[in-house]
Amino acid sequence: QVQLVESGGGLVQSGDSLRLSCTASVTLDYYAIGWFRQAPGKEREGVVCISSSDIIQYYVESVKGRFTISRANARNTVALQMNSLKPEDTAVYYCAVAWGCPGLPGDNNMDYWGKGTRVSVSS
């Protein structure tokens, strides 16, 4: 059982930046970690994932060049740096872990999930 806690969400203006953190109850060295998001009235979608070998997979084209996933110095923590935020990024963002990253967009079959942190971007 892996417990995950997200933090760093908030209400920001278009063009602003946020840095989300995911802190786990275990070391994440051997896990893939993904960030997912769910906008109001929409299905949850994968955003980006980093594998145990640090291969990064993006699932949402619009975040490329703006969002960066990285493992933090603390081995139980992963971050999502979000720059140039847009209203379309408004969602609850979830951290999730599994043995490997999803191979396709829409594949949300991760093993453990956090409760999410809310990001709201105004125009």
Side-chain angles (χ1 to χ4, degrees):
Q1 182 72 22
V2 177
Q3 296 171 345
L4 304 168
V5 179
E6 303 94 339
S7 63
L11 175 62
V12 298
Q13 189 177 8
S14 294
D16 286 351
S17 297
L18 283 173
R19 185 176 177 87
L20 307 184
S21 293
C22 172
T23 300
S25 60
V26 299
T27 298
L28 293 172
D29 292 8
Y30 308 115
Y31 289 99
I33 308 100
W35 285 97
F36 298 75
R37 67 185 183 185
Q38 187 166 17
K42 296 184 178 180
E43 297 293 325
R44 187 175 301 182
E45 64 176 353
V47 179
V48 64
C49 185
I50 184 168
S51 75
S52 61
S53 58
D54 290 339
I55 297 172
I56 296 173
Q57 177 71 52
Y58 286 91
Y59 303 103
V60 180
E61 189 71 22
S62 64
V63 310
K64 292 181 179 179
R66 299 189 298 119
F67 289 12
T68 303
I69 190 171
S70 62
R71 297 180 184 272
N73 290 335
R75 295 168 66 188
N76 66 334
T77 303
V78 66
L80 181 67
Q81 179 67 41
M82 305 187 296
N83 297 327
S84 302
L85 283 162
K86 304 175 180 180
E88 67 186 59
D89 298 318
T90 295
V92 176
Y93 283 73
Y94 299 89
C95 176
V97 303
W99 293 119
C101 289
L104 295 171
D107 181 1
N108 300 330
N109 191 24
M110 305 293 280
D111 294 321
Y112 303 101
W113 294 83
K115 294 182 178 180
T117 184
R118 190 175 300 275
V119 172
S120 184
V121 185
S122 63
S123 300

